[in-house]
């Protein structure tokens, strides 16, 4: 459960500081073009829309670092999330 649903917690400079399980956030699906972004304010997870989202459209986040190459991201997603 932790390996698939936990999130890496980062500080204001996006340095990894821990691992946490946010039950409600575990419902977000991954997208290579997410319409939401996640950040942290202390221990609180903050999810914000990246722009206007039409009613009925699924809210998504990325499970990987978008700055990495898509080939590397796919490899990491397959290894950790099995897809």
């Amino acid at each position: 459960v932790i390996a698939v649903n936990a999130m890496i917690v980062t500080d204001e400079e996006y340095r990894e500081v821990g691992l946490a399980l946010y039950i409600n956030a575990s419902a977000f699906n991954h997208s290579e073009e997410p319409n939401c972004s996640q950040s942290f304010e202390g221990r609180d997870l903050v999810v914000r829309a990246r722009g206007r989202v039409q009613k009925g459209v699924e809210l998504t986040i990325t499970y990987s670092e978008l700055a990495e190459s898509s080939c590397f991201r796919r490899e990491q997603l397959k290894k950790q999330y099995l897809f």
Side-chain angles (χ1 to χ4, degrees):
V1 172
I2 297 292
V4 175
N5 291 304
M7 298 182 117
I8 296 173
V9 179
T10 59
D11 63 14
E12 300 80 26
E13 295 175 6
Y14 296 100
R15 293 179 297 218
E16 295 180 11
V17 295
L19 190 65
L21 180 60
Y22 295 89
I23 300 299
N24 291 334
S26 66
F28 282 97
N29 282 320
H30 166 77
S31 175
E32 288 288 308
E33 296 180 21
N35 54 19
C36 294
S37 62
Q38 68 266 26
S39 61
F40 297 90
E41 292 178 3
R43 293 181 178 185
D44 295 329
L45 171 66
V46 178
V47 177
R48 291 187 173 95
R50 297 176 60 165
R52 285 194 102 100
V53 180
Q54 296 290 331
K55 184 177 180 178
V57 172
E58 178 182 23
L59 299 177
T60 58
I61 59 174
T62 184
Y63 292 176
S64 59
E65 176 57 54
L66 292 177
E68 299 286 354
S69 71
S70 60
C71 183
F72 179 80
R73 288 194 315 265
R74 280 192 298 272
E75 182 180 309
Q76 293 300 99
L77 291 168
K78 185 174 184 176
K79 187 186 303 181
Q80 184 169 356
Y81 302 103
L82 307 175
F83 64 84

